[in-house]
Amino acid sequence: MKKKHHHKKKPGFIKKWTARLHLWFGLVIGFLIFIISITGALFVFKDEVENYTRKDVIYHHEQNIDSKKILPIRTLEKLVADQVKEKYPIHWVNVPLDKNMSYLFYWYEHNTNAWNYFDEFPVYKAAYVNPYTGKVLRVYDEKNGFFSIIKSIHWSYLLKQEWGTYVVGIPVLIFVFMLISGIILWWPKNKAARKQRFSLKWKNIKSWKRKNYDLHNVLGFYASIFALIFSITGLFYAFFFVQAMIYVIFSGGNTQYPDFSHITTKAPIEQRTASTLDKVINTVHEKYPEAYAFSIDLGHEHMDDHEHPNFGVYVKHLSYSYHKSSNLIFDENSGELLHTHDPKDKDFGEKVVSANYDIHVGSILGLPTKIIAFIVSLICASLPVTGFMIWWGRRKKKSPQKVHCIQN
């Protein structure tokens, strides 16, 4: 008499092909996703690390500042240029609202003809400066700094940004499919399976294959929602259709992003003086005394110069996040304020777009969301590894042999 065999029910057509695509895509892009995820995790605490390592120059420690005046911006620019002796002109300056903090002068040039990160940016430096004396406290080579290189690997694999972002974006687009397909494959069929798939139950499990399988499935499930959010906010920088989709959805169907290019400088160039930017700076100080900092372009020609429809100033209201910001437009010649666009003036779509970077790096709510971003990035980095090990373990498994029972 032959022994009866009870075979498991074969998966349906959709689940079968979902599993195949999940595997094939995983084998193709796994290493790329590992690199993106690891660099993302390393970048999360950039501000905390730099605030600690640069704490002695972030504040200038000038004494009796209440009885002293900050030097005019053009005077500071000349003093800084003379000390640093960089062949390129200073591009912009970050002005803090806290008078105890140093000004931050930046040199930044973009060579659009280069094909890799190191050639694309001939210079990217930052100098911390005492605004009361013009003394350069320290200069940092941001271009070759750890976090800038990590960001470029994460952003474009150290390739030219113009097309390197697509080289990163396409694997991330596929990864979004893999996250969704992973949830479909994970989804338990019944109550018994549900109990098993929400936690790692290794009490009586000795097989490393089983433990690896559980790590891939359980950690992947818990990370999946956050991983989808971080992936989509990353795709925002690679594909315009993602930017448009996010704005249209969260603005309630608006298809036209606010455009202020029609607000331009009207005063004659003869009105521009060495103190024009000081007038701009004083206006921002008066208007936003509680803000964190703002940026002022010093108006020199640069390698990638293009037409600027107006002279804008970006005001950052929070030290840890960019999502709460104001955009001001000034007359470049007279220094008169022409337009203000504050958070209260923005529709929800604009606010979401403004918050995209903070959501992506986990800084939107400060340290708690950064910790989440760090952990999720590490889990995302582990998924290609555990997924590959699952495939390799099954590949090496011997094919089952048919068992025949002989009738007694």
Side-chain angles (χ1 to χ4, degrees):
M1 176 177 179
K2 289 188 177 181
K3 189 176 179 180
K4 292 183 179 179
H5 296 279
H6 298 281
H7 298 288
K8 290 183 180 179
K9 186 179 178 181
K10 291 184 177 180
F13 176 82
I14 293 177
K15 205 157 190 175
K16 176 182 175 181
W17 275 99
T18 299
R20 286 184 178 180
L21 291 173
H22 188 85
L23 169 63
W24 293 341
F25 283 144
L27 293 174
V28 171
I29 69 164
F31 180 69
L32 300 178
I33 294 300
F34 174 81
I35 295 298
I36 294 169
S37 301
I38 283 292
T39 52
L42 290 172
F43 191 79
V44 167
F45 294 110
K46 168 186 177 290
D47 291 343
E48 286 73 13
V49 171
E50 290 187 346
N51 286 343
Y52 177 77
T53 58
R54 303 181 182 187
K55 61 184 178 181
D56 56 329
V57 292
I58 290 176
Y59 292 90
H60 50 69
H61 307 293
E62 182 71 19
Q63 300 298 312
N64 304 315
I65 59 174
D66 290 335
S67 61
K68 297 178 181 178
K69 286 188 177 182
I70 290 175
L71 295 175
I73 196 66
R74 291 300 183 188
T75 302
L76 281 171
E77 179 190 1
K78 186 177 185 309
L79 289 169
V80 172
D82 289 343
Q83 292 172 79
V84 177
K85 300 187 186 307
E86 173 60 54
K87 67 178 182 179
Y88 297 102
I90 300 171
H91 199 140
W92 77 87
V93 56
N94 282 3
V95 180
L97 274 293
D98 183 347
K99 292 185 177 181
N100 292 295
M101 295 182 71
S102 304
Y103 278 28
L104 199 48
F105 285 77
Y106 282 94
W107 292 260
Y108 182 88
E109 296 294 335
H110 184 205
N111 178 11
T112 56
N113 296 319
W115 68 270
N116 66 81
Y117 166 77
F118 295 102
D119 291 338
E120 188 174 8
F121 300 98
V123 64
Y124 179 22
K125 286 182 179 179
Y128 287 83
V129 178
N130 182 334
Y132 293 93
T133 65
K135 180 183 178 182
V136 174
L137 304 176
R138 192 172 302 155
V139 178
Y140 287 92
D141 181 4
E142 302 285 16
K143 170 185 169 179
N144 295 304
F146 175 78
F147 287 110
S148 292
I149 292 175
I150 287 296
K151 181 182 178 182
S152 182
I153 295 172
H154 182 80
W155 178 274
S156 63
Y157 296 129
L158 292 176
L159 300 172
K160 182 180 181 179
Q161 288 185 1
E162 186 179 352
W163 48 272
T165 50
Y166 294 110
V167 180
V168 169
I170 292 171
V172 174
L173 202 58
I174 296 172
F175 184 59
V176 168
F177 165 80
M178 293 188 66
L179 288 169
I180 296 170
S181 62
I183 294 173
I184 294 171
L185 296 171
W186 169 91
W187 201 263
K189 295 178 181 178
N190 50 51
K191 189 176 181 181
R194 197 178 301 124
K195 285 182 179 180
Q196 180 183 353
R197 297 193 182 185
F198 278 104
S199 60
L200 301 171
K201 296 181 179 179
W202 290 345
K203 188 175 181 181
N204 298 314
I205 302 295
K206 294 183 179 179
S207 169
W208 71 266
K209 290 183 181 179
R210 180 66 202 186
K211 290 180 178 180
N212 179 71
Y213 181 84
D214 287 349
L215 279 174
H216 187 80
N217 282 275
V218 176
L219 294 184
F221 167 73
Y222 283 115
S224 58
I225 299 301
F226 289 108
L228 278 170
I229 292 171
F230 295 139
S231 297
I232 292 169
T233 52
L235 290 172
F236 176 95
Y237 299 105
F239 302 106
F240 176 74
F241 78 87
V242 177
Q243 299 177 24
M245 177 185 70
I246 288 174
Y247 176 69
V248 170
I249 290 172
F250 289 100
S251 66
N254 291 342
T255 57
Q256 185 64 45
Y257 197 77
D259 180 16
F260 305 108
S261 60
H262 63 282
I263 303 173
T264 58
T265 290
K266 300 296 183 185
I269 196 169
E270 287 76 19
Q271 288 192 26
R272 189 188 304 183
T273 67
S275 63
T276 298
L277 289 184
D278 294 302
K279 183 177 180 179
V280 171
I281 290 171
N282 291 335
T283 300
V284 180
H285 270 282
E286 291 169 7
K287 192 170 178 60
Y288 304 104
E290 302 301 320
Y292 175 69
F294 57 95
S295 302
I296 293 283
D297 192 303
L298 294 176
H300 301 296
E301 291 186 4
H302 300 283
M303 293 180 70
D304 66 340
D305 259 356
H306 53 277
E307 282 191 31
H308 298 274
N310 46 43
F311 185 76
V313 173
Y314 176 84
V315 182
K316 185 181 178 186
H317 291 282
L318 303 173
S319 62
Y320 63 88
S321 179
Y322 291 89
H323 74 276
K324 189 178 179 182
S325 61
S326 296
N327 300 90
L328 309 181
I329 297 174
F330 287 86
D331 188 298
E332 195 170 3
N333 295 329
S334 69
E336 294 294 328
L337 177 61
L338 302 177
H339 180 77
T340 301
H341 199 55
D342 289 325
K344 63 180 176 60
D345 303 318
K346 299 177 181 180
D347 62 35
F348 191 60
E350 288 179 84
K351 290 179 180 178
V352 172
V353 168
S354 297
N356 187 83
Y357 175 82
D358 299 306
I359 296 170
H360 185 64
V361 301
S363 65
I364 187 72
L365 296 177
L367 189 59
T369 44
K370 283 195 170 190
I371 292 172
I372 292 173
F374 179 73
I375 294 171
V376 170
S377 296
L378 289 182
I379 292 175
C380 288
S382 77
L383 294 178
V385 178
T386 53
F388 177 82
M389 290 170 70
I390 291 171
W391 170 76
W392 188 258
R394 289 175 177 174
R395 180 177 172 272
K396 292 175 71 74
K397 188 166 61 174
K398 293 181 180 179
S399 301
Q401 296 179 349
K402 291 182 180 180
V403 179
H404 297 282
C405 294
I406 300 174
Q407 185 178 359
N408 292 326

